[in-house]
Short mmCIF file of all heavy atoms in Angstrom, two decimals:
data_model
loop_
_atom_site.label_atom_id
_atom_site.label_comp_id
_atom_site.label_asym_id
_atom_site.label_seq_id
_atom_site.Cartn_x
_atom_site.Cartn_y
_atom_site.Cartn_z
N ALA F 28 -10.57 -3.12 4.89
CA ALA F 28 -11.08 -2.98 3.51
C ALA F 28 -9.96 -3.20 2.50
O ALA F 28 -10.19 -3.61 1.34
CB ALA F 28 -11.69 -1.60 3.33
N ASP F 63 -4.67 -2.63 28.09
CA ASP F 63 -4.19 -1.28 28.39
C ASP F 63 -2.73 -1.26 27.82
O ASP F 63 -1.84 -1.99 28.28
CB ASP F 63 -4.17 -1.08 29.91
CG ASP F 63 -3.54 0.27 30.29
OD1 ASP F 63 -2.90 0.91 29.45
OD2 ASP F 63 -3.69 0.65 31.51
N GLU F 67 2.71 -3.62 30.63
CA GLU F 67 3.56 -4.59 29.89
C GLU F 67 2.95 -5.98 29.79
O GLU F 67 2.96 -6.58 28.74
CB GLU F 67 4.95 -4.63 30.59
CG GLU F 67 5.92 -5.47 29.82
CD GLU F 67 7.32 -5.53 30.51
OE1 GLU F 67 7.45 -5.02 31.61
OE2 GLU F 67 8.22 -6.12 29.88
N GLY F 82 -2.87 -14.59 13.66
CA GLY F 82 -1.62 -14.83 13.00
C GLY F 82 -0.60 -13.73 13.43
O GLY F 82 -0.97 -12.80 14.14
N THR F 85 2.21 -7.97 11.31
CA THR F 85 3.34 -7.26 10.67
C THR F 85 2.97 -5.79 10.37
O THR F 85 3.78 -5.10 9.72
CB THR F 85 3.73 -7.99 9.35
OG1 THR F 85 2.58 -8.12 8.52
CG2 THR F 85 4.36 -9.36 9.63
N LEU F 94 -6.09 12.49 26.78
CA LEU F 94 -5.74 13.91 27.11
C LEU F 94 -5.88 14.12 28.60
O LEU F 94 -6.84 13.57 29.21
CB LEU F 94 -6.64 14.89 26.40
CG LEU F 94 -6.59 15.03 24.88
CD1 LEU F 94 -7.62 16.07 24.42
CD2 LEU F 94 -5.20 15.39 24.40
N GLY F 112 2.49 7.79 29.73
CA GLY F 112 2.34 6.35 29.84
C GLY F 112 1.59 5.74 28.66
O GLY F 112 2.00 4.75 28.10
N VAL F 130 10.31 -8.81 12.21
CA VAL F 130 11.69 -9.24 11.87
C VAL F 130 11.60 -10.68 11.26
O VAL F 130 12.21 -10.93 10.20
CB VAL F 130 12.62 -9.18 13.09
CG1 VAL F 130 13.95 -9.87 12.79
CG2 VAL F 130 12.81 -7.75 13.54
N LEU F 146 4.30 20.47 18.14
CA LEU F 146 4.97 21.74 17.91
C LEU F 146 4.77 22.74 19.04
O LEU F 146 5.24 23.87 19.03
CB LEU F 146 4.45 22.34 16.58
CG LEU F 146 4.68 21.45 15.36
CD1 LEU F 146 3.87 21.92 14.20
CD2 LEU F 146 6.15 21.37 15.03
N GLY F 147 4.03 22.27 20.07
CA GLY F 147 3.75 23.13 21.23
C GLY F 147 2.27 23.54 21.23
O GLY F 147 1.74 23.95 20.21
N GLY F 160 7.92 13.37 21.43
CA GLY F 160 8.71 12.19 21.72
C GLY F 160 8.44 11.07 20.77
O GLY F 160 9.35 10.33 20.30
N GLY F 173 15.06 -0.80 9.75
CA GLY F 173 15.02 -0.72 8.30
C GLY F 173 15.59 -1.95 7.62
O GLY F 173 15.03 -2.46 6.61
N ALA F 179 9.00 2.73 9.61
CA ALA F 179 8.29 3.38 10.74
C ALA F 179 8.07 4.84 10.33
O ALA F 179 9.00 5.50 9.87
CB ALA F 179 9.10 3.30 12.02
N PHE F 186 -6.67 19.19 13.74
CA PHE F 186 -7.96 19.03 14.42
C PHE F 186 -8.81 18.02 13.71
O PHE F 186 -9.20 18.19 12.54
CB PHE F 186 -8.71 20.39 14.43
CG PHE F 186 -9.96 20.40 15.27
CD1 PHE F 186 -10.08 21.20 16.39
CD2 PHE F 186 -11.05 19.56 14.93
CE1 PHE F 186 -11.25 21.21 17.18
CE2 PHE F 186 -12.22 19.56 15.72
CZ PHE F 186 -12.31 20.39 16.82
N GLN F 213 -9.30 28.62 11.15
CA GLN F 213 -7.86 28.65 11.21
C GLN F 213 -7.18 27.64 10.31
O GLN F 213 -5.97 27.48 10.29
CB GLN F 213 -7.38 28.39 12.66
CG GLN F 213 -7.99 29.28 13.73
CD GLN F 213 -7.71 30.75 13.44
OE1 GLN F 213 -6.58 31.12 13.20
NE2 GLN F 213 -8.78 31.59 13.50
N VAL F 216 -7.90 24.55 4.45
CA VAL F 216 -8.93 23.94 3.62
C VAL F 216 -10.35 24.23 4.17
O VAL F 216 -11.33 23.74 3.66
CB VAL F 216 -8.75 22.42 3.43
CG1 VAL F 216 -7.41 22.09 2.77
CG2 VAL F 216 -8.90 21.68 4.76
N ILE F 225 -7.37 10.76 8.35
CA ILE F 225 -6.14 10.18 8.97
C ILE F 225 -5.98 8.73 8.57
O ILE F 225 -4.85 8.31 8.28
CB ILE F 225 -6.22 10.36 10.52
CG1 ILE F 225 -6.46 11.83 10.87
CG2 ILE F 225 -4.96 9.83 11.20
CD1 ILE F 225 -5.47 12.80 10.27
N ILE F 229 -2.61 6.85 7.02
CA ILE F 229 -2.04 5.65 7.66
C ILE F 229 -2.03 4.51 6.68
O ILE F 229 -1.04 3.74 6.57
CB ILE F 229 -2.87 5.29 8.93
CG1 ILE F 229 -2.68 6.39 9.99
CG2 ILE F 229 -2.44 3.92 9.45
CD1 ILE F 229 -3.60 6.28 11.16
N GLU F 235 2.28 -2.12 1.03
CA GLU F 235 3.51 -2.78 0.59
C GLU F 235 4.39 -1.88 -0.29
O GLU F 235 5.60 -1.95 -0.25
CB GLU F 235 3.15 -4.03 -0.20
CG GLU F 235 2.92 -5.29 0.59
CD GLU F 235 1.56 -5.32 1.32
OE1 GLU F 235 0.77 -4.34 1.21
OE2 GLU F 235 1.31 -6.31 2.02
#
Side-chain angles (χ1 to χ4, degrees):
D63 176 346
E67 186 180 6
T85 55
L94 292 180
V130 170
L146 301 167
F186 188 117
Q213 306 302 312
V216 301
I225 305 306
I229 294 169
E235 273 76 359

